[in-house]
């Protein structure tokens, strides 16, 4: 696979400069820089965009079909229905499953808003389950405790404390590696509840299931991916895709994507305008062949950080991102969508790094159960302690393809300085 251009600096130089003495410490290190993907990528993107501007088929059509086909080949199975965003893909999936008032859907509070937001928008109840404090993702044990605490009605239907029917579990693969899908799957099967994967951040990752290697996004019957520009595969604007294993579900999703129409102006069901622009599909198709190379570069950057943090003697102060499946031998067990460290004094460290012009960001500062819009659910601080702790301690550092060894060293040097 093609990869972005070579890095500056000899591989070992990353560990050699002295903390605090770096000559260009005030030159910004961006959190993310899309301009560094290389001229080959730029050229492919420009060509794709110009092609669409040339034929003027701006919405859906052959460009979208071609991208969907390439994506299913890349994934190795399933059906891909490209949409206007990852959020819209999730909403379309929930609509296709006819989830709505009277239903409840389980997900985690430490994540981007979209997942819980879509559940709410269908009229269903959002039921939160805490995360594993080490992996940031759905804790199968918490899921078991939650489901075990619920009661079944006369007809054997599992109900939330508010009386809503438990329909679905949405585990969220966060930051680039998968949830413990075997364990979550076991609990879900025990209680007879279906799973929908939030694969927004994880295109290209593999999961070492007990039953063999699986592809993220194809572990559950349905999933969705985001192509927001900062994602590992990013569009030139908003875009996303719903993925499913079942052909009939794919047909349903195609209708829902286009206001429930098959034949123009005849509406079988109520859908939405979740159509993807052809220009986005063409650009994504042009970038797709580069994805594995970018993911490998992100993994190499993570390895560089690990060595540099270790060399700087910071491993007892900074918790590096977990790699729960590193021992699986799978190359793509992690695609490092984000490089999220944990530190107890996160806000002070962030202020220090910001002053040094080191790009960093908090994903995510307020867990969803404490968001104002979900106050009606009646949660309070302490309800989901692992999520609340993660929101207080997590800090994302630059990991994008094109980040230089020198920049990575400056990130680590600055963190070392912050602790001096
Ligand atoms: C975990 C997660 N879920 C859902 C989404 C929603 O995707 P989009 O921004 O494409 O609507 C995102 C995007 O940031 C995400 O990170």
């Amino acid at each position: 696979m093609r990869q972005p251009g070579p890095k500056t600096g000899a591989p070992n130089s990353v560990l050699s400069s002295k903390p605090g003495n770096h000559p260009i410490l005030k030159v910004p290190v961006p959190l993310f820089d899309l301009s560094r993907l290389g001229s080959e990528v730029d050229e492919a993107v420009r060509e794709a965009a110009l092609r669409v501007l040339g034929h003027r088929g701006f919405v859906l059509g052959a460009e979208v079909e071609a991208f969907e086909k390439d994506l299913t080949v890349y994934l190795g199975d399933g059906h891909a229905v490209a949409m206007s965003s990852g959020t819209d893909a999730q909403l379309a999936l929930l609509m296709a499953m006819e989830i709505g008032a009277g239903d409840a859907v389980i997900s985690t509070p430490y994540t981007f808003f979209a997942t819980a937001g879509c559940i709410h928008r269908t009229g269903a109840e959002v039921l939160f389950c805490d995360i594993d404090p080490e992996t940031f993702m759905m804790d199968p044990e918490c899921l078991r405790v939650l489901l075990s605490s619920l009661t079944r009605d006369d007809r054997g239907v599992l109900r939330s404390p508010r009386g809503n029917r438990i329909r679905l579990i949405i585990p969220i693969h966060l930051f680039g590696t998968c949830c413990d899908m075997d364990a979550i799957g076991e609990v879900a099967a025990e209680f007879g509840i279906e799973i929908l994967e939030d694969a927004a951040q994880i295109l290209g990752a593999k999961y070492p299931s007990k039953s063999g290697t699986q592809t993220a996004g194809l572990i559950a019957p349905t999933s969705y991916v985001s192509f927001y520009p900062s994602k590992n595969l990013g569009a030139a604007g908003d875009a996303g895709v719903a993925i499913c294993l079942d052909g009939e579900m794919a047909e349903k999703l195609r209708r829902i994507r286009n206001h429930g129409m098959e034949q123009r102006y005849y509406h079988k069901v109520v859908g939405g305008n979740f159509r993807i622009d052809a220009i986005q599909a063409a650009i994504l198709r042009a970038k797709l062949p580069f994805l594995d190379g970018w993911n490998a570069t992100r993994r190499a950057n993570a390895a560089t950080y690990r060595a540099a943090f270790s060399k700087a003697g910071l491993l007892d102060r900074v918790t590096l991102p977990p790699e729960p499946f590193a021992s699986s031998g799978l190359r793509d067990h992690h695609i490092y969508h984000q490089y999220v460290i944990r530190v107890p004094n996160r806000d002070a460290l962030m202020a220090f790094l910001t002053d040094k012009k080191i790009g960093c960001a908090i994903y995510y500062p307020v867990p969803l159960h404490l968001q104002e819009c979900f106050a009606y659910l009646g949660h309070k601080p302490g309800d989901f302690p692992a999520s609340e702790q993660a929101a207080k301690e997590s800090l994302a550092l630059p990991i994008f393809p094109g980040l230089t060894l020198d920049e990575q060293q400056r990130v680590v040097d600055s963190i070392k300085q912050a602790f001096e």
Side-chain angles (χ1 to χ4, degrees), residues 116-372:
C118 285
I119 299 168
H120 169 97
R121 285 163 66 195
T122 63
E125 179 189 355
V126 185
L127 209 54
F128 288 119
C129 160
D130 211 354
I131 58 167
D132 177 314
E134 286 186 7
T135 66
F136 298 113
M137 295 180 281
M138 184 174 278
D139 183 339
E141 207 33 55
C142 289
L143 180 65
R144 182 184 295 283
V145 169
L146 170 64
L147 289 170
S148 305
S149 73
L150 305 177
T151 47
R152 293 193 184 272
D153 67 14
D154 300 348
R155 286 175 299 147
V157 175
L158 199 61
R159 301 260 171 205
S160 76
R162 284 184 162 83
N164 295 310
R165 180 160 76 121
I166 310 298
R167 287 286 308 277
L168 191 67
I169 300 165
I170 309 185
I172 301 162
H173 304 304
L174 222 49
F175 304 145
T177 194
C178 286
C179 301
D180 186 350
M181 291 301 282
D182 279 344
I184 291 170
E186 266 170 37
V187 178
E190 194 182 316
F191 287 86
I193 314 290
E194 202 177 308
I195 296 177
L196 161 64
E197 291 172 78
D198 180 325
Q201 305 188 354
I202 199 151
L203 188 62
K206 299 284 182 195
Y207 174 68
S209 165
K210 274 188 248 163
S211 55
T213 301
Q214 290 184 299
T215 299
L218 291 179
I219 305 170
T222 51
S223 72
Y224 51 91
V225 172
S226 165
F227 299 122
Y228 186 74
S230 60
K231 292 291 188 282
N232 292 25
L233 179 65
D238 277 304
V241 67
I243 296 164
C244 59
L245 296 173
D246 177 57
E248 270 179 40
M249 171 61 103
E251 283 316 306
K252 235 179 181 177
L253 287 166
R254 285 183 212 288
R255 278 197 293 274
I256 287 173
R257 168 173 72 177
N258 200 10
H259 284 302
M261 286 188 282
E262 237 164 62
Q263 192 185 346
R264 210 172 183 146
Y265 305 130
Y266 290 81
H267 302 266
K268 268 190 181 235
V269 291
V270 175
N273 175 0
F274 304 138
R275 299 180 301 248
I276 184 173
D277 292 337
I279 206 161
Q280 300 302 348
I283 287 171
L284 288 164
R285 187 169 170 233
K287 290 175 84 174
L288 183 59
F290 297 92
L291 178 62
D292 284 348
W294 292 329
N295 288 346
T297 305
R298 286 170 178 271
R299 238 183 342 269
N301 291 349
T304 298
Y305 271 136
R306 192 166 287 277
F309 275 114
S310 167
K311 176 105 187 213
L314 286 170
L315 293 185
D316 56 344
R317 295 193 176 243
V318 173
T319 305
L320 301 187
E323 290 189 341
F325 309 116
S327 62
S328 66
L330 281 181
R331 191 194 59 173
D332 299 312
H333 66 91
H334 208 314
I335 55 151
Y336 278 100
H337 171 55
Q338 299 289 355
Y339 189 85
V340 178
I341 61 165
R342 297 177 76 138
V343 277
N345 45 358
R346 188 269 319 274
D347 290 345
L349 177 62
M350 187 175 181
F352 186 88
L353 293 180
T354 304
D355 180 59
K356 296 260 173 249
K357 297 190 168 31
I358 303 289
C360 55
I362 302 171
Y363 303 110
Y364 299 91
V366 182
L368 300 182
H369 66 288
L370 300 179
Q371 294 286 353
E372 202 177 329

Side-chain angles (χ1 to χ4, degrees), residues 50-108:
L50 288 174
R51 187 176 66 244
V52 177
L53 290 174
H55 65 57
R56 296 180 178 82
F58 289 128
V59 179
L60 296 178
E63 297 283 357
V64 173
E65 282 164 27
F67 170 58
E68 291 174 343
K69 191 161 160 270
D70 283 9
L71 189 61
T72 51
V73 169
Y74 175 80
L75 289 167
D77 199 2
H79 303 267
V81 183
M83 304 258 181
S84 36
S85 69
T87 305
D88 288 345
Q90 187 201 342
L91 190 57
L93 279 157
L94 296 179
M95 288 170 80
M97 292 175 195
E98 295 176 26
I99 283 175
D103 294 330
V105 177
I106 299 173
S107 194
T108 42

